[in-house]
Amino acid sequence: GKTAGTVTFEVTTVSNNGPFAPRHIFAAWVEDEKGHFVKTLERRARNYIRFLEEWNKASDQNVVDAVTGASLTSHRSHELTWDCRDVDGEVVPDGVYVIRVEFSERNGSGPLLSRDATRFTKGPQAVSMNPDDEKYFKDISLVYRTGP
């Protein structure tokens, strides 16, 4: 099936004391269970986009419907929403999805939120989870609600 729904995702990043800290670039995106790119949710970078290495590999820099802007000057909470649609505006098939999050405070790759933290099943059942903190990612929450 293709259940309509909305995912609300929150995460707070924590500096890994890179040379540009606390300034950093940031990306969050959705992948399916097999690791295929579905949609970018947020990308904060202009000149240093190439250092969002995992996002670049996944997305081919696709930012359709994404929140975009300049690099961030400090670490903070991000509240992101995904409408369970792909870049073509189509509701994605029910199944397992993952929200990926990456940031960097240096001219190179930086911390990446683990796939296991945000793995959830999109379908007829609502999902609410608060994954354990990771070293550079705290206060994680993911809520999936069904309905238009």
Side-chain angles (χ1 to χ4, degrees), residues 25-38:
I25 55 178
F26 173 94
W29 69 100
V30 181
E31 290 181 358
D32 69 15
E33 188 173 27
K34 295 186 176 80
H36 300 122
F37 173 79
V38 176

Side-chain angles (χ1 to χ4, degrees), residues 43-125:
R43 188 213 62 215
R44 299 285 184 171
R46 288 214 175 98
N47 301 335
Y48 301 99
I49 287 172
R50 68 187 178 280
F51 299 121
L52 291 168
E53 293 177 2
E54 294 301 317
W55 175 78
N56 273 295
K57 278 189 269 190
S59 70
D60 202 22
Q61 297 195 1
N62 184 313
V63 290
V64 168
D65 293 337
V67 174
T68 59
S71 302
L72 298 166
T73 55
S74 61
H75 287 273
R76 61 174 176 81
S77 172
H78 295 261
E79 184 173 317
L80 307 169
T81 303
W82 177 44
D83 60 6
C84 295
R85 293 176 183 270
D86 61 20
V87 294
D88 297 322
E90 300 294 321
V91 174
V92 298
D94 291 355
V96 174
Y97 291 88
V98 178
I99 296 181
R100 310 301 317 273
V101 182
E102 171 181 39
F103 74 85
S104 179
E105 299 171 331
R106 65 188 189 90
N107 290 340
S109 61
L112 189 64
L113 181 64
S114 74
R115 290 181 66 89
D116 290 338
T118 63
R119 180 178 281 116
F120 75 100
T121 301
K122 174 197 164 292
Q125 299 295 337

